[in-house]
Amino acid sequence: MEAAATTCYRHPSYETCVRCTRCERPVCPDCMREAAVGHHCAECVEEGQRSVRRPRTVFGGAVSGPAAPVVTYVLMALNVLAYLAEVVRPEVVDRFAVLGVALTGPDGRQYYYRGDAFHGYTMTGIADGEWYRLLTGAFLHLPPDTSFGVMHLLFNMLALWNIGRQVEGQLGRVRCLALYLLSALGGSVAVYLLAPDDATVGASGAVFGLAASYYVINRRLGRDLAALNRFLAGFLLWMLVSAAFTSWQGHLGGLLTGALVTYGLAYAPAKLRTGRVQLAAGFVLLGLFAAVVALRTAALTGG
């Protein structure tokens, strides 16, 4: 005996004798999806896909195949846009660079701060509450009229392009972005701690953080140690050579931050690799940075 024909639950004008084997609703050929037994409707298929747990890497990133490295693209775009802004308005560098503390005199000129008090001089920098410089300076680069100039931007973007895609593929987009920003902050905090009188710019601290992350990731995955050691040695050599143009303190701070964050993602016990625990750990690290900045500010300004 044939089943009585009825109309599709989504297309009332279409008669059908086929029903979804999960919800029993009638479905037409446009709405039915092949299943192990019979057919499912589109809504049941979507509900089933939401309940399936997506596979993840050992670092917590979702295994999604050859997805586009969106975070890497966005970060590169932000760095390029910031560089265009400083080309159009050169004063952007002075306003947003990583600068611990400086004095601006009545003549408008900026002087390095050495702990002396000068009547009529205005203090500027992170010590004066401009904490945003810790992050904004990581998106700026040396102006084109300097000796290193645009090459500073090109070298950093080339490194970000090559390493960022690999790290993002393992950590996932959210963790990769968090690592980049934390490494940038770590580099800026190191500059503030070790060289507060220096005004520095550049994404190098964040890039060194990605390099350290790439090293830890590949060690965790058991890849060729000789190649990894050569890779890290190259970055350490870059740190020494580029010290003539940029801040080695920022490089070192970013490198240590990236290594610390990724080591936690790679080697923490499985029960501690949840998103909530990792988020809490990120806030703890931010709190540590804030404490270091506050203590350094108190030392520079006499409390």
Side-chain angles (χ1 to χ4, degrees):
M1 179 178 178
E2 293 185 358
T6 183
T7 57
C8 174
Y9 80 104
R10 294 175 66 185
H11 304 99
S13 62
Y14 201 110
E15 289 191 354
T16 179
C17 296
V18 180
R19 291 179 178 272
C20 173
T21 56
R22 291 187 65 182
C23 65
E24 296 293 329
R25 288 182 293 193
V27 289
C28 67
D30 290 337
C31 298
M32 66 177 65
R33 304 291 186 269
E34 291 287 344
V37 177
H39 298 83
H40 289 169
C41 65
E43 292 181 8
C44 286
V45 170
E46 291 177 1
E47 182 180 351
Q49 290 176 342
R50 285 195 296 269
S51 64
V52 174
R53 188 173 182 180
R54 297 179 64 185
R56 294 187 174 274
T57 67
V58 295
F59 313 99
V63 179
S64 56
V70 176
V71 169
T72 301
Y73 291 152
V74 171
L75 291 172
M76 291 179 66
L78 290 175
N79 277 276
V80 172
L81 289 175
Y83 195 76
L84 293 177
E86 65 183 83
V87 169
V88 175
R89 298 180 66 94
E91 63 270 21
V92 168
V93 176
D94 292 334
R95 187 69 183 85
F96 295 100
V98 178
L99 174 64
V101 59
L103 293 173
T104 301
D107 56 359
R109 296 177 60 188
Q110 196 170 80
Y111 300 85
Y112 287 125
Y113 181 78
R114 300 297 182 186
D116 301 314
F118 294 94
H119 180 70
Y121 284 68
T122 303
M123 181 185 295
T124 58
I126 299 169
D128 192 45
E130 298 175 349
W131 283 37
Y132 58 85
R133 289 178 179 268
L134 292 167
L135 188 59
T136 56
F139 288 90
L140 300 174
H141 288 82
L142 293 174
D145 58 349
T146 59
S147 57
F148 200 34
V150 70
M151 297 303 297
H152 188 205
L153 174 70
L154 293 178
F155 277 131
N156 280 337
M157 292 304 98
L158 180 61
L160 176 55
W161 167 251
N162 284 308
I163 304 173
R165 293 177 298 164
Q166 307 299 324
V167 173
E168 185 175 346
Q170 291 293 333
L171 300 188
R173 292 171 180 171
V174 175
R175 289 172 180 80
C176 180
L177 178 61
L179 172 74
Y180 185 93
L181 296 178
L182 287 172
S183 298
L185 287 173
S188 298
V189 170
V191 171
Y192 186 44
L193 186 63
L194 301 175
D197 292 333
D198 294 342
T200 63
V201 291
S204 301
V207 169
F208 269 78
L210 290 176
S213 178
Y214 179 78
Y215 181 82
V216 174
I217 285 172
N218 283 277
R219 280 188 65 92
R220 176 67 175 81
L221 296 177
R223 293 176 180 168
D224 185 8
L225 292 182
L228 289 176
N229 291 333
R230 288 194 297 269
F231 167 82
L232 187 60
F235 261 84
L236 293 177
L237 179 61
W238 179 15
M239 180 189 297
L240 295 175
V241 173
S242 62
F245 307 98
T246 57
S247 170
W248 66 265
Q249 296 91 343
H251 294 180
L252 180 61
L255 186 79
L256 295 177
T257 302
L260 175 64
V261 171
T262 311
Y263 190 88
L265 294 175
Y267 293 99
K271 63 181 180 181
L272 297 181
R273 293 183 201 166
T274 64
R276 291 182 179 179
V277 172
Q278 292 171 352
L279 180 63
F283 278 110
V284 169
L285 185 57
L286 283 175
L288 178 61
F289 287 158
V292 171
V293 171
L295 291 173
R296 187 60 171 138
T297 299
L300 289 170
T301 60

